[in-house]
Amino acid sequence: MSEPRPAVDPATHELLDRLQARADATGTSRKRLHALLEAVLSVGRGLDLQQVLGRIVEAAVSLVDAGYGALGVIGEDRMLSAFVPVGVDDEAWAAIGALPSGHGLLGELVRHPEPLRLDELSAHPAFRGFPPNHPPMHSFLGVPIRVRGQVFGNLYLTEKRGTARFDEEDEAVLMTLAVAAGVAIENSRLFERSSLRERWLASGSEVTNSLLSGRPRAEVLGLLLEHAHKNVAADLGLIAVPVEGADTLRIALAVGAESDRYHGEFVPLREGYLGRAFTEASASVSLDVEHDPRNGADSARWAGFGPAMAVPLGSGGTDPRGVLLLARNSRANAFTAEASASLKGFTRQVSLAMELAERRKDAVQLALLEDRDRIARDLHDLAIQRLFATGMTLQGALRFVTHPEAEQRLRRAVDDLDTTIKIIRSTIFGLRSQQDSVLRQGLRSRVAQAVEAATGPLGFAPALRVEGLVESRVPVALADHVVAVLVEALSNTARYARATSVDVHLTATADRTTLTVTDDGVGIPEDARFSGIGNMRDRARMAGGELRIGTPPGGGTRLTWSAPSADSV
């Protein structure tokens, strides 16, 4: 059973009837009418826009028996934003260079959207010559394609086979095909918009859920970049973040073409296309980022890339957290206004989710501090008072006890109660001190205190080196992990390593926070099972990092614990 054919648009029916009347008057064969109808039906099959455009050009070349054909899509700047050629292979186009942008004769139909038929295209006043390696062309036929009354683009046909010129019948056939093409293009665009809207919604939902579920910020922004890069069909995607204390941006994430070359690069903060998009805190679209006048001396950075979009990452204020850039190669189609608007909406949604996640994190931290204060208060007001009352009762009972051993046991119980009260008071002080340290002390101070506290058990003072902006780059939650891991590592060294020296090295770069503890002791036995190591691994997993334990060249143990820094992306 044959596949059902799509219905023909009423407007196409009308033009086919008009063409039939003209064919009867001019003697046009029914074979050509049948070919036109087949072409009209073929361009209506499928919903992928690029495939539809390709079918339209192929059908046009076949119907009018042309050597070459192309469909030029008109962009918002009234220039050609896309060009779909037929008859010239990729190798030949590569030799010619950049695709036409709409100057010269091709732009004549953009400026005057009416059918244009020429016996010799070089004789037209708008003709500006061919670029090097371009095949020779003489006869020319062009007609506009309208979608909902607006000119979408133009069909260009050259080199009529078997004769020197295109005739009126060729023009009428091509105009009929252009009407059908407009219908097919509109259907494809509606389907594409619907599908793209669903993809953006799914992307926003996935990234937002990842943020609110507590996944590391670096991982979430990587997910954001992957979705944006895929949804707009970009060749290159990257996220750049400001470097604290420096007037530069650092490309923290990059995907796509030449991503390895861009990852980790530093970009001027107040110069170039990317830097100005960040400082101006506004979205920016460029038709040719390599030659964008905003680049200045930074043009070479974007060699080989053309259309680009840059969107600040933030909640809409004047202090963005970074900037997202998406670019296509120099021969690709420009980004549409719809793509730019969708990307801005997506990044705005993610930025708001990021703000919400951070506020939730702050609320959790505040609730933890309040809970610690409540526990300390309850211990003081309830537990200590009851223990104290019990101790007083036992002391009062001592005078009724005559047996020496019983009296000694009662006094020992009273002493134990006093010791317990002191421990609880110490715990209360520790809870409140920890709360105060979270609010007031920085990581550098907390690490120094932990190292100093280990001096007694070790029998010597460990060496300490701190590098980087640890106070600003390491958030409170990550700092708590670092201090806990350091205390555990120093404790294990004091108990098992029999070391004579320990080196503690803490670094906080823009990418990672790394704690390294190295000793010259006896090392870790192969059959050792320390619960503390498991705890340190758990902390690394919670922070999105890793724990490595090895042996330095001189012997001993080297423990390296690292996790992403707060501003790594």
Side-chain angles (χ1 to χ4, degrees):
M1 186 175 180
S2 61
E3 180 183 349
R5 294 177 176 175
V8 182
D9 182 77
T12 307
H13 268 303
E14 181 182 348
L15 278 181
L16 283 171
D17 292 339
R18 288 165 54 190
L19 184 60
Q20 177 67 67
R22 179 178 296 182
D24 293 339
T26 59
T28 303
S29 68
R30 290 188 176 274
K31 181 179 179 181
R32 190 170 193 186
L33 286 175
H34 180 73
L36 175 59
L37 181 58
E38 287 294 328
V40 168
L41 296 176
S42 70
V43 300
R45 295 189 180 104
L47 291 171
D48 181 81
L49 183 57
Q50 285 302 117
Q51 292 182 2
V52 169
L53 296 181
R55 287 198 192 102
I56 292 170
V57 185
E58 291 170 357
V61 168
S62 176
L63 281 173
V64 301
D65 201 19
Y68 305 99
L71 193 158
V73 179
I74 301 174
E76 297 174 2
D77 59 349
R78 304 300 299 164
M79 302 297 287
L80 297 183
S81 63
F83 197 76
V84 183
V86 168
V88 180
D89 57 28
D90 293 339
E91 184 177 348
W93 270 123
I96 294 171
L99 295 175
S101 59
H103 297 287
L105 182 59
L106 297 186
E108 184 70 15
L109 264 74
V110 177
R111 295 183 290 273
H112 306 288
E114 299 292 337
L116 179 63
R117 190 157 40 91
L118 301 171
D119 295 343
E120 178 55 58
L121 56 84
S122 61
H124 194 279
F127 181 72
R128 296 187 181 181
F130 292 121
N133 303 311
H134 195 284
M137 295 179 181
H138 300 281
S139 56
F140 176 87
L141 174 60
V143 298
I145 297 176
R146 288 181 169 84
V147 176
R148 291 185 175 271
Q150 300 295 320
V151 178
F152 171 83
N154 297 301
L155 271 173
Y156 305 109
L157 287 304
T158 63
E159 291 300 281
K160 173 77 172 181
R161 291 191 177 99
T163 181
R165 50 182 283 176
F166 294 99
D167 57 24
E168 291 184 2
E169 186 178 314
D170 293 327
E171 181 179 321
V173 168
L174 204 59
M175 287 178 62
T176 303
L177 180 66
V179 174
V183 175
I185 289 170
E186 175 63 11
N187 291 337
S188 297
R189 291 169 69 183
L190 290 174
F191 176 77
E192 189 176 70
R193 287 171 185 166
S194 175
S195 300
L196 186 59
R197 189 177 299 112
E198 289 182 3
R199 290 201 301 271
W200 280 120
L201 288 173
S203 299
S205 176
E206 183 177 352
V207 176
T208 300
N209 289 340
S210 298
L211 272 169
L212 299 181
S213 64
R215 291 171 68 179
R217 183 167 172 253
E219 184 179 337
V220 173
L221 287 186
L223 188 63
L224 179 154
L225 180 59
E226 288 178 8
H227 279 292
H229 176 261
K230 180 179 179 180
N231 286 349
V232 302
D235 295 301
L236 171 69
L238 56 85
I239 290 179
V241 296
V243 178
E244 188 170 352
D247 211 24
T248 57
L249 295 170
R250 185 182 60 83
I251 299 176
L253 293 172
V255 297
E258 301 184 52
S259 57
D260 292 341
R261 177 167 73 88
Y262 286 97
H263 187 271
E265 269 198 349
F266 290 91
V267 180
L269 184 61
R270 307 185 189 282
E271 301 175 15
Y273 176 72
L274 190 63
R276 294 182 66 173
F278 176 83
T279 54
E280 294 171 6
S282 61
S284 174
V285 177
S286 177
L287 296 177
D288 186 357
V289 67
E290 180 181 359
H291 301 102
D292 195 293
R294 288 168 287 190
N295 274 322
D298 203 39
S299 295
R301 185 187 307 276
W302 311 110
F305 290 99
M309 293 189 294
V311 182
L313 298 175
S315 57
T318 57
D319 187 21
R321 301 168 182 267
V323 60
L324 166 69
L325 179 136
L326 300 170
R328 292 173 178 164
N329 65 59
S330 58
R331 299 174 63 84
N333 300 339
F335 291 106
T336 64
E338 187 174 1
S340 176
S342 298
L343 179 63
K344 286 190 285 187
F346 175 60
T347 55
R348 191 180 302 115
Q349 176 187 355
V350 172
S351 297
L352 290 174
M354 196 179 301
E355 293 284 345
L356 179 60
E358 291 185 359
R359 290 179 183 273
R360 175 183 288 185
K361 185 177 179 181
D362 292 341
V364 170
Q365 183 67 33
L366 181 60
L368 176 62
L369 297 178
E370 290 177 347
D371 198 43
R372 287 176 178 172
D373 189 61
R374 179 190 59 78
I375 293 171
R377 186 173 57 252
D378 289 347
L379 286 173
H380 181 272
D381 295 343
L382 301 176
I384 288 182
Q385 299 304 324
R386 297 195 65 171
L387 288 173
F388 186 76
T390 301
M392 293 293 291
T393 302
L394 291 176
Q395 283 182 327
L398 279 172
R399 57 184 177 179
F400 301 110
V401 177
T402 57
H403 194 283
E405 185 176 348
E407 181 182 1
Q408 184 179 4
R409 290 186 179 184
L410 279 176
R411 291 188 182 278
R412 190 160 53 245
V414 172
D415 292 340
D416 288 343
L417 285 173
D418 287 340
T419 301
T420 302
I421 291 172
K422 290 178 181 179
I423 292 173
I424 294 176
R425 282 176 172 164
S426 176
T427 302
I428 294 172
F429 179 77
L431 285 170
R432 288 176 174 163
S433 296
Q434 188 174 6
Q435 177 172 326
D436 291 342
S437 69
V438 169
L439 296 174
R440 300 173 190 171
Q441 289 186 343
L443 177 58
R444 188 185 301 267
S445 175
R446 297 173 66 188
V447 166
Q449 289 178 6
V451 170
E452 183 179 357
T455 300
L458 287 169
F460 56 87
L464 173 63
R465 289 180 295 155
V466 179
E467 298 180 11
L469 304 174
V470 296
E471 308 297 352
S472 57
R473 283 181 173 159
V474 184
V476 171
L478 182 56
D480 288 343
H481 287 312
V482 170
V483 173
V485 169
L486 175 60
V487 170
E488 183 67 37
L490 292 175
S491 175
N492 288 342
T493 302
R495 283 183 288 176
Y496 308 113
R498 300 200 297 274
T500 59
S501 67
V502 176
D503 179 78
V504 177
H505 186 196
L506 174 64
T507 61
T509 66
D511 288 319
R512 297 185 78 77
T513 297
T514 303
L515 172 69
T516 304
V517 180
T518 307
D519 66 63
D520 62 352
V522 297
I524 299 178
E526 293 183 2
D527 58 347
R529 293 292 184 268
F530 300 138
S531 62
I533 293 178
N535 293 336
M536 288 187 280
R537 292 192 190 279
D538 289 341
R539 289 184 178 275
R541 177 183 53 79
M542 288 187 288
E546 61 178 351
L547 172 69
R548 297 194 305 273
I549 300 176
T551 302
T557 302
R558 175 175 292 147
L559 180 148
T560 304
W561 189 97
S562 65
S565 296
D567 62 349
S568 60
V569 290

